[in-house]
Amino acid sequence: MCGRFTITHPNEALAALFGAVPGNDLPPVPNYNVCPTTPIATVTSDAGQRRLRAMRWGFLPAWYKTPTDGPLIINARAETVATKPAFREAIRSRRCLVPASGFYEWSEGPQGERLPWYFTRADGEPMALAGVWQRWQDIDTLAIVSTEAGEGMAGLHHREPVILEAADWPLWLGEAGKGAALLMKPTAKGVLHPPYRVDKRVNSNRALGPDLIKSLAA
């Protein structure tokens, strides 16, 4: 599952990392509390030309008459993305990468409170989360693909976002033939840095600032 993440790397650096042409509508960075329904930077590929472009996080199926016509769809399950009517076409022909500097997950405290934890890559590089997208009217919208949790989730949740390594980006973006389904798997051991607890302020979608990712143990 992925319900909140950060993007602290500059858009210019992301464009260079992914070999993409940056759009002129990219959301400002850094953002330490990226929430659903907000515009986020994504990477797509059209005939081999990669673009870094803004999309709305929250997939809108073609049959929605308004953005609130049904549930807010922020994740697509790897196990069913190829068969769910909302995603069947998108997983075949509209896959994207979602750059993220890290993401949050929550555990339950002794009083039932939500305790946030922060995850990053162990190598400090940006993550490339697997996504699928859909144009709804004149809005490009997306969902982040999730899969069963691997060891790196430290037992905090039974789902995690699909994190793609650089060698797999061409296949996911449709530049290297078929077989993208094989990439939808738990993150390999050692890719994620051990998570650490952060302040509960991030539980609010209005919270801002770099202190949100400061370790409580620091």
Side-chain angles (χ1 to χ4, degrees):
M1 156 120 209
C2 184
R4 206 85 66 79
F5 66 92
T6 68
I7 183 67
T8 61
H9 293 79
N11 287 321
E12 296 81 3
L14 294 177
L17 175 66
F18 290 99
V21 177
N24 57 14
D25 60 346
L26 295 171
V29 290
N31 187 341
Y32 295 90
N33 194 4
V34 180
C35 302
T37 75
T38 61
I40 60 176
T42 65
V43 180
T44 60
S45 182
D46 182 11
Q49 176 61 69
R50 294 183 185 177
R51 295 176 55 203
L52 185 67
R53 50 191 291 209
M55 293 190 191
R56 174 193 187 267
W57 184 17
F59 191 97
L60 297 176
W63 58 83
Y64 276 26
K65 293 182 173 58
T66 70
T68 58
D69 208 33
L72 179 62
I73 304 174
I74 62 172
N75 292 142
R77 294 175 66 95
E79 298 87 346
T80 57
V81 68
T83 56
K84 288 272 189 179
F87 304 124
R88 278 188 309 219
E89 181 59 31
I91 191 61
R92 286 196 295 266
S93 59
R94 292 189 303 276
R95 299 187 297 270
C96 62
L97 301 173
V98 180
S101 302
F103 65 89
Y104 299 100
E105 193 50 77
W106 283 261
S107 63
E108 185 174 322
Q111 307 301 320
E113 68 271 36
R114 299 180 76 224
L115 304 178
W117 298 75
Y118 188 56
F119 290 81
T120 60
R121 285 186 61 100
D123 59 11
E125 291 295 308
M127 298 175 179
L129 310 182
V132 291
W133 67 279
Q134 162 81 32
R135 176 158 290 178
W136 182 86
Q137 297 187 10
D138 60 347
I139 307 171
D140 289 336
T141 71
L142 74 101
I144 294 172
V145 180
S146 72
T147 187
E148 61 183 19
E151 292 182 39
M153 286 298 290
L156 289 173
H157 201 275
H158 64 285
R159 307 289 298 177
E160 67 175 33
V162 172
I163 301 173
L164 300 173
E165 297 301 312
D168 297 325
W169 298 347
L171 185 57
W172 186 257
L173 291 174
E175 301 167 347
K178 299 181 180 180
L182 299 176
L183 303 178
M184 295 186 290
K185 56 188 178 183
T187 307
K189 184 177 181 180
V191 171
L192 293 176
H193 188 280
Y196 60 85
R197 276 270 287 115
V198 293
D199 195 279
K200 287 188 290 186
R201 287 198 309 115
V202 78
N203 292 356
S204 168
N205 58 14
R206 297 182 180 181
L208 300 171
D211 285 350
L212 295 180
I213 62 171
K214 182 178 179 181
S215 171
L216 291 185

